[in-house]
Amino acid sequence: MIGERSLLEPKEESYLDDVKSALREEVFTGQLDRDHIEALDQNEESEDDWSTYAKRMGEQDLLGISIPTEHNGGGQGIIETVLAEQAIGYEGSIVHACQTSLTQHIGRTMYEHGSDHIVENYLEPMLAGEFVVAQAFTEPGSGTDIAHLGTSAERDGDEYVVNGEKRFIDFAPYADVLFVPVRTGGSAGDQDGLSILVVDGDTDGFEVLEPHTEWHGFRGTGASWIEFDDARVPAENVIGEPGEAWTYITNELNLEHLTISRYCLGASERALEIAIDYTAEREVNDQSLSRYQGVNHKIADLSARLDAAYALNTRAARILDERGMAAGRMEGAMAKQVGNELAHEIADTSMQVMGGVSTTTKYPVERIQRDVRAGRYMGGATEVMKSIVQHDVYASVRDDDFDGDLVGNELEGKPWRKSE
């Protein structure tokens, strides 16, 4: 337990404890035990595994945690949402946390902008654990630059006709429902004209072309290249107003940045704890590895930074709780930038101090290291997070009293004190 309770109130600490207990006792048992997690890493997942996981998580109120209970959500806040994701990354894997995370941020979009039809037929069954869900953003020619997506949806009476390809779509082969951004107007690069469709997994014209299995890490999601070929989707399956999805998507990403960062930190915390246990017991030259400063100073540094990363994530979550999903863009990007880079460093350094045994499957550290590597680009790469932060910093920090006319001509005065 390193830093995971940073800035938490007592009731939030209790919630984290309750979630961890529920995961150990009710979710990651039997069919979904440790052998299942290892099987995922060998791409031996099954549709039944993911259906069982969704059902168990729904029974524990761990899907759509920030959505009211009358819609089968958890009735909690964003802070409880990220705490649950942290616990799933620690007790299970970040692959499991990813499936749950989809119900958190997709669920919020459905809840805040979806019609009664969307809420009753898709949101509520999804949060009850009846659906496995996929999010289909990435395309062959666009990823983070969502405004350049090429998948089109043309209105034809009471339907949209969807055409285009997506790739690296996690859970696509098992998905009962897909959350699909499309272009219904405007031109490539325009923020206007984007819409979100809810597509049933058995829709004619939707096809999984090729599952990708040769991943460095983050395996077991069935991530696939998919195609829409004149797929007809009811017009009532548009979330919110057609053409207005840019705002919905960017707001959703504010939460997704936090969930991705948090579950990677949870996984890396487990790796660090294993490294602490191992180095305390392993002896070199008749003394514990933990007695060597080359090892224990690394542990000290990573422990302090893990505490700080959790605190940064918690602060951003509180902003979303207090101000809404449109708030906290910069703080969320900071949390993801710092958290995901640190999670990978923690896992990698844990392997380093453990030595060769860490590269075997005797310990889960090598899998965690491969898994959290994906967090550095999922939901927006670290470089994109830095771009968001610098943009918002320059926009918010610039001082009107700074006299730019004196820059390069400081002999005439002090730029930081605007001349009268």
Side-chain angles (χ1 to χ4, degrees), residues 30-89:
Q31 180 182 341
L32 303 183
D33 63 8
R34 292 293 175 193
D35 290 338
H36 153 76
I37 295 173
E38 292 180 10
L40 286 182
D41 192 48
Q42 300 302 315
N43 291 304
E44 296 173 359
E45 75 279 4
S46 72
E47 182 173 355
D48 186 53
D49 286 341
W50 288 116
S51 296
T52 300
Y53 177 68
K55 184 174 184 295
R56 291 184 182 183
M57 294 295 283
E59 290 171 348
Q60 300 302 315
D61 295 326
L62 292 175
L63 303 178
I65 290 169
S66 68
I67 296 166
T69 55
E70 57 262 36
H71 299 300
N72 296 329
Q76 303 288 336
I78 301 300
I79 184 64
E80 287 81 9
T81 298
V82 298
L83 290 176
E85 291 296 327
Q86 169 191 326
I88 299 165

Side-chain angles (χ1 to χ4, degrees), residues 360-378:
T360 74
T361 58
K362 293 291 184 181
Y363 298 91
V365 178
E366 62 85 27
R367 173 183 57 77
I368 292 171
Q369 191 263 3
R370 288 184 288 106
D371 282 352
V372 298
R373 177 63 182 85
R376 296 171 66 193
Y377 58 79
M378 288 166 53

Side-chain angles (χ1 to χ4, degrees), residues 139-155:
E139 299 189 355
S142 69
T144 301
D145 54 339
I146 193 70
H148 286 85
L149 65 81
T151 300
S152 65
E154 295 185 8
R155 184 70 179 259

